[in-house]
């Protein structure tokens, strides 16, 4: 844990009076409304009011930390302000939300994202469980001899639990490209040869930092578009936002049902 994350967690406690988070959640593209069925909202803090957070640059991301109490009595911190690696502020800025969540006491982390899908039979609007990842950024949030085990980054226990709630949830392997440009068709084919079924620009660096902090992770991708070359259509951010909006109700229901069981 860094001093900056400890300071952010302390400020979050000060501003909300909430001593401890049980669960933390990072909302990616398409998942913006997914917090709406988590339970009673206890507090909202603008991320910019906490040390180390940056204003978001992507439309569709909410720059707030919202804290909910679930029906089962768990406290959930929803981090709507993800910093992406492609923003160029470095790996510590990317990992800050996750580290703050850990410093605030969370033991469980739900990472969500919007991504491109490599399987043409999985249409845009489909949520997929992340079973494993490939970090293609060439970067890591860790420094020095911190030899973190990465053999089970996305908790088999939490994946099984998610499938109890939604038996039709498929699983995928998520490859993080540095971005911000989308892939070429050749890069998508490469990712497929390497074993990826999903491509995106987030999540893996956060997952590494989270495992280093001891968090148990559930990863969920929303396929918002078929990856470049998988369909004939060019990719557009507008398409991504539209797929997110169309799936929003189902994602809120899915997430609410899963979090109730965590
Ligand atoms: I939403 O097709 C979304 N994010 N790299 N490729 C990459 N990131 C994405 C994509 C995609 N769709």
């Amino acid at each position: 844990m860094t001093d900056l994350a400890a300071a952010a967690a302390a400020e979050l406690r000060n501003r909300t009076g909430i001593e401890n988070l049980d669960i933390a959640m990072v909302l990616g593209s398409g998942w913006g409304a997914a917090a709406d069925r988590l339970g009673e909202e206890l507090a909202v803090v603008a991320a910019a009011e906490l040390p180390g957070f940056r204003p978001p640059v992507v439309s569709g991301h909410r720059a707030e930390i919202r804290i909910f109490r679930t029906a089962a009595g768990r406290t959930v911190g929803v981090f709507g302000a993800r910093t992406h690696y492609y923003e160029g502020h470095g790996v510590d800025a990317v990992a800050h939300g996750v580290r703050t969540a850990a410093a605030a006491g969370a033991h469980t982390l739900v990472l969500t994202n919007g991504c491109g899908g490599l399987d043409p039979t999985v249409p845009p609007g489909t949520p997929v469980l992340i079973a494993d990842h490939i970090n293609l950024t060439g970067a890591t949030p860790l420094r020095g001899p911190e030899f973190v085990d990465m053999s089970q980054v996305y908790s088999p226990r939490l994946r099984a639990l998610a499938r109890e709630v939604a038996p039709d949830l498929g699983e995928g392997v998520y490859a993080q490209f540095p971005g911000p440009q989308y892939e070429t068709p050749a890069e998508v084919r490469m990712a497929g040869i390497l074993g990826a079924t999903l491509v995106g620009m987030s999540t893996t660096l956060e997952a590494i930092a989270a495992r280093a902090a001891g968090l148990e992770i559930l990863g969920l991708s929303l396929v918002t578009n078929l990856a470049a070359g998988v369909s004939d259509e060019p990719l557009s951010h507008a398409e991504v936002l539209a797929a997110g909006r169309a799936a929003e109700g189902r994602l809120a229901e899915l997430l609410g049902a899963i979090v109730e069981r965590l």
Side-chain angles (χ1 to χ4, degrees):
M1 185 196 309
T2 63
D3 291 348
L4 195 56
E11 187 63 20
L12 186 63
R13 282 191 188 99
N14 280 342
R15 287 184 181 258
T16 64
I18 295 164
E19 278 305 308
N20 232 56
L21 300 181
D22 298 310
I23 299 162
M25 194 176 288
V26 180
L27 298 181
S29 301
W31 294 86
D36 292 350
R37 271 178 244 175
L38 292 178
E40 180 200 353
E41 189 177 79
L42 302 180
V44 184
V45 176
E49 292 175 21
L50 304 182
F53 283 90
R54 312 190 53 86
V57 296
V58 180
S59 59
H61 290 261
R62 246 172 110 157
E64 292 169 344
I65 296 162
R66 302 164 73 191
I67 302 182
F68 295 85
R69 173 103 65 222
T70 69
R74 317 288 301 281
T75 307
V76 187
V78 177
F79 291 71
R82 165 180 266 153
T83 296
H84 289 83
Y85 184 61
Y86 59 69
E87 292 172 46
H89 302 299
V91 287
D92 287 322
V94 172
H96 184 59
V98 160
R99 287 174 173 153
T100 297
H107 290 284
T108 305
L109 175 67
V110 182
L111 289 174
T112 67
N113 62 53
C115 70
L118 270 66
D119 182 345
T121 69
V122 176
T126 309
V128 179
L129 276 172
I130 304 176
D132 204 350
H133 80 217
I134 303 174
N135 171 14
L136 295 177
T137 66
T140 169
L142 310 183
R143 274 185 292 273
E146 199 172 359
F147 305 117
V148 176
D149 175 37
M150 297 292 286
S151 54
Q152 295 193 330
V153 176
Y154 302 91
S155 165
R157 184 182 80 84
L158 296 183
R159 275 148 56 201
L161 192 148
R163 278 194 310 267
E164 279 173 26
V165 171
D168 57 335
L169 263 184
E171 296 204 337
V173 175
Y174 179 93
Q176 181 178 356
F177 279 84
Q181 73 284 355
Y182 293 119
E183 296 72 34
T184 64
E187 288 166 342
V188 169
R189 286 194 298 276
M190 176 192 79
I193 290 165
L194 295 179
T197 60
L198 309 165
V199 288
M201 304 179 195
S202 68
T203 304
T204 79
L205 298 173
E206 292 154 291
I208 294 165
R211 291 305 294 146
L215 295 170
E216 187 175 16
I217 302 172
L218 178 70
L220 283 163
S221 285
L222 172 70
V223 174
T224 59
N225 57 278
L226 292 177
V230 177
S231 92
D232 297 334
E233 299 293 313
L235 274 55
S236 78
H237 188 57
E239 172 198 16
V240 163
L241 295 179
R245 271 194 301 274
E248 164 173 287
R250 185 176 168 217
L251 297 183
E253 198 178 321
L254 175 67
L255 216 50
I258 292 173
V259 168
E260 210 44 66
R261 309 274 301 263
L262 289 179

